[in-house]
Structures are given as structure tokens and as C-alpha cells.
Amino acid sequence: MTNAASSSTSFVSYDAECPFPIQNLPYGVFSTTANPSPRPGVAIGDLILDLDALSRSSHFASSPIPADVFQHANLDKLAAREPAEWAAFRSYLTTLLSSNSPLKDAADKDTLFVPRTASSTQMHMPVRIGDYTDFYASFEHAYNAGVLIRGKENAMQPNWRHLPVGYHGRASSVVVSGTPIRRPVGQILDKVGDTQPIWAPCRRLDYELEIGFIYGGAATKLGERLTPTEAREHIFGLVLMNDWSARDIQTWEYVPLGPFLSKNFGTTISPWIVQPAALDPFKTAKYVQEPAVLPYLQDDEGFGFDVPLTLAVRPENAKEYSRIATSNMKHSYWTYAQMIAHHSSTGAPINPSDMMGSGTLSGPGVDGNPNDDALGSLLERSRLGRQPFELNADRKDMTWLRDGDSIKIEGVVKTKDGYSIGFGECEGTVLPAVLPAA
């Protein structure tokens, strides 16, 4: 049996700390040593329900979604279904996995479930991301960065409270958790005061603690716009995200058109896509937006999600991670629906499996000063590298990421009913830059 405190129980056993109870049911794509073909699955406890195998079984007769949707190496077909079908399939899965389900004693049960272990299971990109846009939606992060770059009087750009600022990222370098990230090489200024750049490995490599959200349902057509209410229905799911950033490359290149090579070399996402329905119990009021936004961005139904996020670093050869930051999904001034609505406001088409990111999520300061424990980037935590801090006993001069450093982002929230909802891990390790042979 499952944790008795849960409001709904499953015949799959798991404890209260497990991030994948029956109330979660996130989607992912996995393979095993016994069957190396990537295929869709659902995490439940310490197991994965193989949706490909399920779709070929007699248990699938009552599914509201056709079997062929799950007989592919990604979740693109599912993401392209209508939102009402996602809800119906979630209900079907909940019934199928409940404590009184006939599947509990089914003869083929062992062929439908595989252990969710690092030694026997490999996770893959859950969808094929066609387009990727990253926003800059946390007021706290934008303010902290603005103070460091422009001073308190000019910290916030005049447009920031009027529209969700964003940039188009590189979909081809979005990778699943566990994929190493190569330190980029680019144009940087060798020292303060230089005006002639050099071409060298990035010296100011950073992480960004973010949430990614994946668009689903019908594609919008050229010239079509979505309201925030319509946009909200198209959120297929959410993932943890680390938008790796080369701050020295960014400083030199971003004027006048913004980030380019400083952001296109790697973005890591967690392998499990958490459905918005699983986060419904954690809805919280959205930010008060002043001045009032223009009508096309008004989101009277808007909300955030009160889900804690943590980020930790493990230096090369270290046994354990050292936590650097504790933030929250709710620290976004703009709602996910507003970001999608703004993205569509020019009539640019949005397609199923497109991904957008929240931008760095940093928590509020204390007494007018940044709260070091809630800062989602090293740019903020080290004050642009000017203020080294102690990571652990072995590294007391932390500023930027070093080769061999591993970053791990987690997001888990515990309910009053005694169960947990989580995203799994978003992890990546920095590899040394590669330079041409002399």
C-alpha cells in the first residue's frame, strides 16, 4: 500500500517523500538495458509505467487517447492532442493505478512496469523542441542584475513592467538532465578597460535556476493571437531548467541586440514533464502588476505555483553537493499564460512541443538587500564575481563555475495531506573547453 495519508492511493508502494505519487504522474521518455528503444512512460513511485507496452495491452481498451500516440520515441504526439484529452487520459491513468485497479493482480503487470533506477534506466529528451524562447520574468532577478550593472537608480529598464522581456534561444542545444555541458569559447575582454576582444574559453560561466513550460494542443496559425486565458489551456507541462550562461561573452556581445552565443551552447531540462493539474493544490496569488498592463496581457485568472526550488553545486571529485540557493516557482512577476500570450501577440505561430523558460527565479531580498540564499544565478550571488563566497570547506573562493563542477536543480513540495510532488532532478556537469590544435 501507499502512504495512508494520501488523499488517493495506488497499489504501487512509495513513501511520503517520494516525488512521484499517484497525484503527480509526470510524463517522460526512457529506455532500459533490456530494451534500449526510447519510449514514453509515467513515473509512479520507484517505477515507470511503460506507456508503449500499455498501449499494446488489453488494459488500454478504455483509454481516451489512441494507442499509436504512445508508440513513438517521444511525447510529441501526446503534446499535440487537445487539452481535454490530456485531462481525460490523466483520469484514466489515475484509475488504472489506483489501489483497487484490476491491474494490481494482472498477469502481465511485470511487463508493464520497469524499475526507475539509474543503473538500468536511461532518460531521454521528452519532446523534440522546435522553438525555444527564454524570458526574464523574475522581478527580483531583474532588479538584482540591474543594480549590479546600472546602479539602483537605473536598475529596472523602462519597459520591464509593461511586457515579458525575452530572447529566442537555441532549441538544438536543449538537453536532458545528465548531459555534460562543454565550456564555451567566444569573444571576451581580457581585462577591465580593454576595447579589443580576444577569443578564449569563457571565464565567467554561470547557471540559471529556471522553470521551463512546454506548449501543447493545436498549433497557432500565422497571424493568430492567444489571450492569457487561451494560452493557459495550452501548457502541456513544466520542467526544471538550467539555462547555462557565459557572462563574459554576454557582456561583450549583448549590445544592441541581446544574448546570442552566450546562451546558445547549452540548456538543461529535467526529464519528467509535470502536468499543471498536479500543481493545482499549490496555486498562489500572482504578483500585483503596477502599472496596469495593456489589455492583451491582462490575466485576471493568473496565479503562480508555491513550489520550492533548490540549486546545489558539487565540485569535481567531491562526494556531496553543497546547496547554494533555495528559491520558488512563485517568484515570477509574469504568469506563464502572459508569457505565451505576449509571444503570440505579433501572430508568430507557436507549435506543440515548443518550450519557453521563465528566466532566473530569485527570491525577495531582506531589508533592501539581496537574500544570498535565494539568488538563482552566480551573477547575483558573487556580485558579478567581485564578492567570492564560501561554497564548502574545500572551496572558499566561489565566484564562477569551474571545469568539473556539477549543478543540480530540484523542485519538491509537500502537501498538507502528507505526500510530495516533485520534478526529479535537472543535472549537468561542466566539461573543459575545446580549442583548436596549435
Side-chain angles (χ1 to χ4, degrees):
M1 291 294 293
T2 61
N3 167 30
S6 298
S7 59
S8 178
T9 57
S10 171
F11 64 82
V12 177
S13 297
Y14 49 81
D15 60 35
E17 303 302 318
C18 176
F20 302 136
I22 194 172
Q23 292 87 353
N24 192 347
L25 303 182
Y27 296 117
V29 171
F30 74 102
S31 63
T32 61
T33 51
N35 182 356
S37 298
R39 55 206 188 271
V42 168
I44 175 74
D46 293 326
L47 301 176
I48 299 174
L49 173 61
D50 186 332
L51 290 178
D52 180 273
L54 178 67
S55 73
R56 302 175 192 274
S57 74
S58 60
H59 310 289
F60 207 72
S62 58
S63 168
I65 293 181
D68 70 289
V69 169
F70 302 99
Q71 296 170 7
H72 299 272
N74 53 56
L75 293 160
D76 290 347
K77 294 285 187 181
L78 180 60
R81 306 297 292 193
E82 291 301 313
E85 294 179 283
W86 302 336
F89 191 71
R90 178 176 171 82
S91 295
Y92 159 76
L93 287 176
T94 301
T95 300
L96 191 68
L97 294 167
S98 66
S99 56
N100 58 356
S101 168
L103 190 59
K104 176 180 180 180
D105 300 312
D108 60 348
K109 184 177 69 172
D110 289 343
T111 68
L112 300 178
F113 292 90
V114 300
R116 185 175 53 82
T117 63
S119 60
S120 63
T121 307
Q122 180 179 352
M123 300 305 298
H124 303 270
M125 279 292 293
V127 294
R128 292 180 299 181
I129 298 170
D131 280 306
Y132 156 51
T133 299
D134 199 21
F135 286 93
Y136 190 44
S138 165
F139 174 85
E140 288 79 10
H141 172 65
Y143 178 78
N144 292 338
V147 169
L148 289 168
I149 296 168
R150 294 181 296 275
K152 287 187 176 182
E153 294 74 15
N154 300 302
M156 302 302 293
Q157 298 283 22
N159 65 346
W160 197 91
R161 289 183 175 87
H162 292 276
L163 57 85
V165 174
Y167 73 93
H168 290 288
R170 185 69 181 173
S172 63
S173 56
V174 180
V175 296
V176 74
S177 177
T179 306
I181 298 296
R182 182 73 62 181
R183 181 179 296 273
V185 178
Q187 288 193 20
I188 64 174
L189 296 179
D190 187 35
K191 57 185 180 297
V192 176
D194 281 359
T195 57
Q196 175 66 32
I198 61 171
W199 193 69
C202 166
R203 300 172 184 174
R204 297 187 171 191
L205 186 60
D206 201 354
Y207 54 73
E208 290 192 340
L209 171 60
E210 303 193 25
I211 290 291
F213 46 106
I214 295 169
Y215 182 91
T220 60
K221 299 176 182 178
L222 184 66
E224 181 182 359
R225 294 188 293 270
L226 297 173
T227 67
T229 298
E230 293 168 335
R232 186 174 295 108
E233 296 300 313
H234 285 277
I235 300 175
F236 174 59
L238 302 101
V239 294
L240 302 174
M241 189 173 114
N242 179 2
D243 187 35
W244 304 81
S245 300
R247 300 301 186 189
D248 43 3
I249 297 174
Q250 183 177 3
T251 298
W252 174 246
E253 75 175 2
Y254 86 101
V255 178
L257 295 180
F260 178 33
L261 302 182
S262 57
K263 295 281 192 173
N264 78 347
F265 61 93
T267 300
T268 304
I269 64 171
S270 54
W272 295 106
I273 299 177
V274 175
Q275 302 164 75
L279 301 177
D280 277 349
F282 318 112
K283 287 180 180 177
T284 186
K286 70 179 179 69
Y287 275 56
V288 176
Q289 295 177 332
E290 294 178 342
V293 299
L294 293 174
Y296 81 96
L297 282 174
Q298 289 177 1
D299 187 12
D300 296 334
E301 306 166 46
F303 52 82
F305 292 113
D306 188 1
V307 178
L309 304 172
T310 61
L311 185 144
V313 177
R314 186 186 67 202
E316 187 175 22
N317 299 323
K319 294 182 179 180
E320 298 181 352
Y321 276 90
S322 297
R323 182 177 295 183
I324 287 183
T326 300
S327 187
N328 198 293
M329 282 181 64
K330 67 183 179 182
H331 298 318
S332 179
Y333 184 89
W334 298 100
T335 68
Y336 301 122
Q338 285 176 314
M339 288 184 251
I340 296 174
H342 183 64
H343 203 307
S344 77
S345 63
T346 59
I350 306 177
N351 298 307
S353 298
D354 283 356
M355 188 179 79
M356 303 177 200
S358 63
T360 304
L361 296 173
S362 293
V366 178
D367 297 328
N369 297 308
N371 176 7
D372 285 347
D373 293 333
L375 301 178
S377 69
L378 286 173
L379 179 149
E380 299 165 86
R381 184 65 178 84
S382 72
R383 310 301 194 266
L384 278 177
R386 301 165 187 156
Q387 192 175 106
F389 63 95
E390 182 174 336
L391 174 66
N392 54 35
D394 296 321
R395 187 179 298 178
K396 298 186 178 182
D397 59 345
M398 183 75 177
T399 51
W400 307 104
L401 296 177
R402 304 178 189 179
D403 293 346
D405 284 352
S406 295
I407 305 298
K408 180 171 67 175
I409 298 173
E410 295 178 286
V412 181
V413 60
K414 180 166 285 190
T415 74
K416 295 179 181 178
D417 295 328
Y419 63 90
S420 302
I421 297 289
F423 287 79
E425 297 179 350
C426 176
E427 190 173 18
T429 300
V430 179
L431 298 181
V434 173
L435 289 168

